[in-house]
């Protein structure tokens, strides 16, 4: 899946753009002596990036990347001004959201820009660096080099904001004559959380190694060492955050006179009180009848609602700052459906040692086959025996699930799933190319990931052989609007899922973002956070949806999206268990529930999809997921009444994680937000 924050890794400062005005064969051709970067991940190589400088100082770059069928073919030309900052920039090519065309120019003391999402101008009286919407990685390289050369390593950004670099660590890379020492810098002010970028001893860009790596060809083999050093350096900051944000109550804590969400009973109860002692809920009931222990800390909840800690059932954890961000939204449990397994294990170890503040994480190990569309963090199996061995490894590593992906050989599913079930491991994922969702369920899937894979059951046969690429997005966008939701394909699939209790993790917000917004439009997932994030981040969230094929319109895609919302409603009405997940940057979870309300869920049913239902999915409902005596005290106090307006769940005021108290506003500040969402 495309993730909104992928943009920060792909194009640097911002998201990519929006099919191409400039044909690919007319993009810049790298000379023989161009600097060559390999774009890769643990899943293999994804593309190439070249950069070079013309005799007059003009910077040039060309980039080609294919990320599971999502294609970037882009170039750029950048002319430095007398201050070393961009005086002219021109970007051309194509990205998954369409035309990458973007220009910037400084002339006569005025800066002007035009991108696929916006246009604007500003006085240019002091050095400033234009943060492009898209472009090759060299836009990042130029930015980093000017940042490191600036006084105090701070740099004004256009259209807005300010970046600052802090030195983190050094590492010797390469061998023999090619050995050199590179420095990791943490760059703040661009995203809500610091971005790690590597530079050489001369302060020139060396590479990035965050999930997807851009490294010089001669040093591509250093990816894992560099990422390990980066993780260790960033991890050194985490204990400070944990120590300053966590309050361990000395005695009991009583939430009094709250509106309470009873997830087990699917109801909201007024004027309730809840007592917590030593991390466990010890009393729940009407305020008039619950005895508050002597010496307890009393939190008056009048006008507020107390809900169980929320779950995001589809959150690919990015870095250590994901913890405070998710907790600030009341998310106390996360199901990570595929990541770098080693990093997942390391984070778990640090959480257990009190060195990292994080929600509870229930991880799945991602297993895929080998091919051009292999997932970027996949464990790759080239045989059935290797696939079974990876399932056993997941069990040994303490993972709760395995997630299969689109290039996995479907012939291996029955035996591999049988092994997973024998070991007590939950099975979910995308549907391997060539088969339908009903076949994967017949082979043993416990859960289907993403709403598109439900809709794919009704897609034409011609789509199946290539639906591990862009077809998994384009086919539903093209055909869903005309699908009969009561036809035999979907009616039969929904009945089977309901009868066999097969879960759905629909990630509706991810698909709304792909099909609905035009370039420049802001998804409802992000609108409540406008004004609380760095300008570059907010601008990136306006990148828009996927480009619409030439024989369709945005209205067609939006009609197909509406049919997916109706499909979700039919699944829910039939009794298919739904768990709320986002597959996004981590701040979309409440809008996911707003879409559930649109699909016909009651407020209680929508909230259950983010509390008790996920707890049942991972077998943890005996100690979390609802507010009940004897359960772990994972609680969220919100201002307002989500029974009437589910969006009030964004108004977190206090979060309790395993009985520890966390101030939501302090969590927001630690996660890089300047204030509360609207």
């Amino acid at each position: 899946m495309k993730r909104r924050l992928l943009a920060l890794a792909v194009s640097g400062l911002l998201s990519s753009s929006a099919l191409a005005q400039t044909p690919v064969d007319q993009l810049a051709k790298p000379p023989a002596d161009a600097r060559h970067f390999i774009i890769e991940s643990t899943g293999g190589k994804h593309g190439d990036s070249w950069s070079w400088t013309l005799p007059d100082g003009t910077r040039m770059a060309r980039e080609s990347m294919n990320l599971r069928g999502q294609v970037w073919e882009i170039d750029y030309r950048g002319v430095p001004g007398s201050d070393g900052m961009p005086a002219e920039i021109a970007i051309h090519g194509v990205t998954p959201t369409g035309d990458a065309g973007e220009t910037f120019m400084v002339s006569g003391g005025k800066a002007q820009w035009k991108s696929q999402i916006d246009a604007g101008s500003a006085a240019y009286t002091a050095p400033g660096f234009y943060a492009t919407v898209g472009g090759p990685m060299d836009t990042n390289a130029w930015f980093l080099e000017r940042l490191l050369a600036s006084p105090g390593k701070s740099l004004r950004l256009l259209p807005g904001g300010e970046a600052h670099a802090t030195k983190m660590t050094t590492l010797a890379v390469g061998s023999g004559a090619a050995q050199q020492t590179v420095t990791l810098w943490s760059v703040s002010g661009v995203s809500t959380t610091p971005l790690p970028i590597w530079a050489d001893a001369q302060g020139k860009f060396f590479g990035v190694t965050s999930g997807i790596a851009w490294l010089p060809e001669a040093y591509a083999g250093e990816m894992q060492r560099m990422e390990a050093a980066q993780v260790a350096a960033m991890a050194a900051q985490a204990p400070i955050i944990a120590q300053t944000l966590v309050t361990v109550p000395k005695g009991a804590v009583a939430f009094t006179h709250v509106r309470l969400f009873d997830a087990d009973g699917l109801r909201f109860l007024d004027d309730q009180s809840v007592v917590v002692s030593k991390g466990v809920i010890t009393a729940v009931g009407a305020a008039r009848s619950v005895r508050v222990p002597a010496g307890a800390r009393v939190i008056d909840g009048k006008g507020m609602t107390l809900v169980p800690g929320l779950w995001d059932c589809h959150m690919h954890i990015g870095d250590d700052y994901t913890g405070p961000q998710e907790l600030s939204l009341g998310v106390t449990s996360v199901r990570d459906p595929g990541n770098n397994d080693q990093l997942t294990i390391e984070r778990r170890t640090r959480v257990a040692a009190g060195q990292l503040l994080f929600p509870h994480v229930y991880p799945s190990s991602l297993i895929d086959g080998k091919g051009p569309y292999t997932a970027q963090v996949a464990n790759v199996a080239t045989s059935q025996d290797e696939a079974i061995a990876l399932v056993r490894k997941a069990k040994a590593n303490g993972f709760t699930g395995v997630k299969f992906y689109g290039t996995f050989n479907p012939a291996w599913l029955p035996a591999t799933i049988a092994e997973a079930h024998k070991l007590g491991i939950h099975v979910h994922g995308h549907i391997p190319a060539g088969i339908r969702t009903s076949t994967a369920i017949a082979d043993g899937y416990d859960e289907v990931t993403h709403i598109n894979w439900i809709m794919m059951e009704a897609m034409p046969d011609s789509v199946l052989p290539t639906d591990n690429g862009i077809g998994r997005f384009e086919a539903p966008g093209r055909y869903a609007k005309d699908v009969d939701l009561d036809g035999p394909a979907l009616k039969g699939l929904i009945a089977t899922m309901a009868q066999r209790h097969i879960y759905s993790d629909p990630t509706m917000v991810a698909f709304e973002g792909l099909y609905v917004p035009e370039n420049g439009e802001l998804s409802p997932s992000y609108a409540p956070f406008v004004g609380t994030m760095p300008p570059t981040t907010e601008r990136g969230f306006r990148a828009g949806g996927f480009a619409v094929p030439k024989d369709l319109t945005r209205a067609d895609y939006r009609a197909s999206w509406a049919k997916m919302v109706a499909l979700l409603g039919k699944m829910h009405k039939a009794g298919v268990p739904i768990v709320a997940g986002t597959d996004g940057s981590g701040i979309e979870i409440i809008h996911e529930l707003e879409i559930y309300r649109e699909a016909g869920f009651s407020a209680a049913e929508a909230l259950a999809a983010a509390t008790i239902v996920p707890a049942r999915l991972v077998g943890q409902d005996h100690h979390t997921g609802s507010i009940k005596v004897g359960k772990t005290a994972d609680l969220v106090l919100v201002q307002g009444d989500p029974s009437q307006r589910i969006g009030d769940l964004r108004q977190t005021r206090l979060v309790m994680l395993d009985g520890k108290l966390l101030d939501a506003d302090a969590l927001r500040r630690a996660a890089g937000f300047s204030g509360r969402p609207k």
Side-chain angles (χ1 to χ4, degrees):
M1 280 295 303
K2 169 189 172 186
R3 298 183 63 213
R4 286 292 173 180
L5 288 190
L6 171 64
L8 296 171
V10 171
S11 299
L13 303 185
L14 292 173
S15 65
S16 287
S17 52
L19 274 157
Q21 299 293 318
T22 303
V24 172
D25 61 3
Q26 294 180 23
L27 296 177
K29 306 296 191 292
D33 61 349
R35 193 178 185 195
H36 181 206
F37 292 79
I38 302 296
I39 307 172
E40 63 181 339
S41 72
T42 57
K45 181 180 176 180
H46 304 292
D48 301 271
S49 185
W50 297 267
S51 60
W52 63 99
T53 304
L54 300 181
D56 64 358
T58 298
R59 299 180 73 117
M60 300 287 295
R62 172 74 168 90
E63 197 158 278
S64 177
M65 182 171 71
N66 188 320
L67 188 63
R68 291 169 288 134
Q70 301 170 67
V71 175
W72 285 258
E73 295 287 357
I74 48 180
D75 73 6
Y76 100 118
R77 173 182 178 273
V79 178
S82 59
D83 57 5
M85 304 297 174
E88 294 182 32
I89 288 179
I91 298 170
H92 310 92
V94 61
T95 78
T97 54
D99 180 16
E102 181 174 2
T103 59
F104 171 80
M105 177 175 288
V106 176
S107 179
K110 184 178 181 181
Q112 294 180 291
W113 58 90
K114 188 178 190 310
S115 74
Q116 56 282 1
I117 66 170
D118 63 4
S121 64
Y124 192 91
T125 57
F129 197 95
Y130 173 67
T132 62
V133 173
M137 182 56 73
D138 194 64
T139 59
N140 276 352
W142 192 358
F143 159 69
L144 179 68
E145 291 157 13
R146 298 317 308 165
L147 176 61
L148 297 183
S150 297
K153 293 183 171 49
S154 293
L155 183 60
R156 183 174 69 98
L157 299 176
L158 294 170
E162 183 172 322
H164 179 75
T166 303
K167 185 177 180 179
M168 300 294 290
T169 191
T170 60
L171 181 70
V173 296
S175 60
Q179 187 178 70
Q180 62 173 303
T181 297
V182 293
T183 299
L184 178 68
W185 294 90
S186 173
V187 178
S188 59
V190 172
S191 177
T192 52
T193 62
L195 299 177
I197 311 179
W198 293 88
D200 64 17
Q202 289 72 47
K204 303 298 184 182
F205 174 84
F206 184 80
V208 295
T209 56
S210 298
I212 300 178
W214 272 253
L215 290 176
E217 182 179 14
Y219 299 89
E222 298 283 5
M223 179 181 68
Q224 291 185 345
R225 288 185 63 240
M226 292 177 66
E227 188 161 49
Q230 177 175 301
V231 169
M234 302 296 280
Q237 310 299 311
I240 300 171
I241 295 174
Q243 292 162 11
T244 57
L245 294 180
V246 175
T247 298
V248 180
K250 295 180 180 179
V253 176
F255 297 88
T256 61
H257 303 288
V258 296
R259 177 179 294 102
L260 182 145
F261 174 57
D262 174 10
D264 296 306
L266 290 180
R267 56 183 181 169
F268 290 86
L269 302 172
D270 289 332
D271 199 24
Q272 302 287 295
S273 290
V274 176
V275 178
V276 173
S277 181
K278 298 179 181 179
V280 177
I281 299 169
T282 58
V284 180
R288 65 180 181 276
S289 61
V290 171
R291 187 182 68 83
V292 176
R297 175 176 175 177
V298 177
I299 299 170
D300 185 357
K302 290 177 181 175
M304 298 186 180
T305 303
L306 190 69
V307 303
L310 302 183
W311 289 63
D312 188 330
C313 272
H314 199 122
M315 176 67 208
H316 298 279
I317 292 166
D319 55 32
D320 289 356
Y321 290 90
T322 301
Q325 174 182 277
E326 294 306 281
L327 288 165
S328 76
L329 291 163
V331 175
T332 60
S333 295
V334 169
R335 204 261 302 260
D336 189 335
N339 217 314
N340 181 316
D341 289 354
Q342 188 56 45
L343 297 183
T344 298
I345 294 168
E346 290 176 1
R347 279 191 293 265
R348 180 174 64 198
T349 301
R350 289 190 285 134
V351 169
Q355 298 173 348
L356 177 64
L357 179 61
F358 229 80
H360 308 291
V361 177
Y362 300 89
S364 294
S365 186
L366 181 58
I367 304 175
D368 203 359
K370 188 174 181 60
Y373 298 154
T374 298
Q376 62 263 33
V377 293
N379 299 286
V380 179
T382 60
S383 69
Q384 180 174 289
D385 287 344
E386 286 183 4
I388 290 173
L390 288 172
V391 169
R392 292 169 179 161
K393 184 178 180 181
K395 177 66 175 180
N397 285 335
F399 284 38
T400 57
V402 290
K403 178 183 176 183
F404 296 110
Y405 222 73
T407 303
F408 189 83
N409 189 332
W412 305 339
L413 282 178
T416 310
I417 292 173
E419 182 67 17
H421 287 163
K422 185 174 75 174
L423 297 173
I425 293 178
H426 182 79
V427 175
H428 61 127
H430 293 202
I431 308 303
I435 66 172
R436 293 196 184 274
T437 304
S438 54
T439 302
I441 291 173
D443 286 341
Y445 267 40
D446 302 306
E447 173 191 357
V448 178
T449 303
H450 303 307
I451 192 66
N452 67 315
W453 291 114
I454 306 298
M455 187 61 78
M456 288 292 285
E457 184 74 10
M459 296 295 100
D461 291 343
S462 60
V463 172
L464 301 184
T466 58
D467 65 5
N468 59 335
I470 199 68
R472 70 192 189 275
F473 303 124
E474 288 190 348
R478 176 179 294 276
Y479 298 113
K481 61 184 174 58
D482 299 316
V483 165
D484 180 2
L485 298 183
D486 294 315
L490 289 175
K491 189 173 182 179
L493 178 64
I494 292 171
T496 297
M497 292 180 71
Q499 181 183 7
R500 297 180 56 178
H501 207 67
I502 305 299
Y503 285 82
S504 169
D505 165 25
T507 64
M508 301 300 288
V509 290
F511 289 88
E512 181 183 46
L514 297 182
Y515 296 127
V516 174
E518 292 282 15
N519 298 140
E521 293 179 348
L522 191 65
S523 164
S525 290
Y526 310 112
F529 298 90
V530 168
T532 71
M533 302 179 290
T536 47
T537 304
E538 292 187 1
R539 194 171 176 226
F541 282 137
R542 296 183 182 274
F546 272 171
V548 181
K550 291 182 179 179
D551 60 332
L552 297 177
T553 66
R554 181 63 64 187
D556 292 325
Y557 264 19
R558 288 172 176 168
S560 287
W561 159 249
K563 191 63 73 74
M564 293 181 198
V565 175
L567 173 60
L568 176 66
K570 284 190 173 291
M571 292 164 62
H572 171 62
K573 187 176 181 180
V576 176
I578 307 295
V579 291
T582 61
D583 196 19
S585 62
I587 59 175
E588 304 91 346
I589 187 62
I590 309 306
H591 185 53
E592 179 78 8
L593 303 187
E594 290 173 331
I595 294 173
Y596 294 2
R597 293 285 284 124
E598 182 184 348
F601 291 56
S602 69
E605 290 168 338
L607 192 44
T611 53
I612 191 63
V613 183
R616 291 172 187 150
L617 181 149
V618 298
Q620 298 298 313
D621 52 308
H622 59 286
H623 76 76
T624 190
S626 63
I627 303 174
K628 188 175 181 179
V629 172
K631 288 195 174 187
T632 301
D634 293 336
L635 305 169
V636 188
L637 189 64
V638 301
Q639 185 74 50
D641 182 3
S643 71
Q644 299 300 313
R645 194 177 86 98
I646 201 82
D648 283 353
L649 290 169
R650 294 186 184 91
Q651 299 305 316
T652 50
R653 296 295 181 264
L654 196 65
V655 180
M656 183 170 267
L657 177 68
D658 293 330
K660 301 182 289 289
L661 288 168
L662 305 166
D663 178 81
D665 290 328
L667 288 165
R668 278 187 269 268
R669 288 192 293 272
F673 293 85
S674 63
R676 296 170 177 171
K678 299 181 181 66

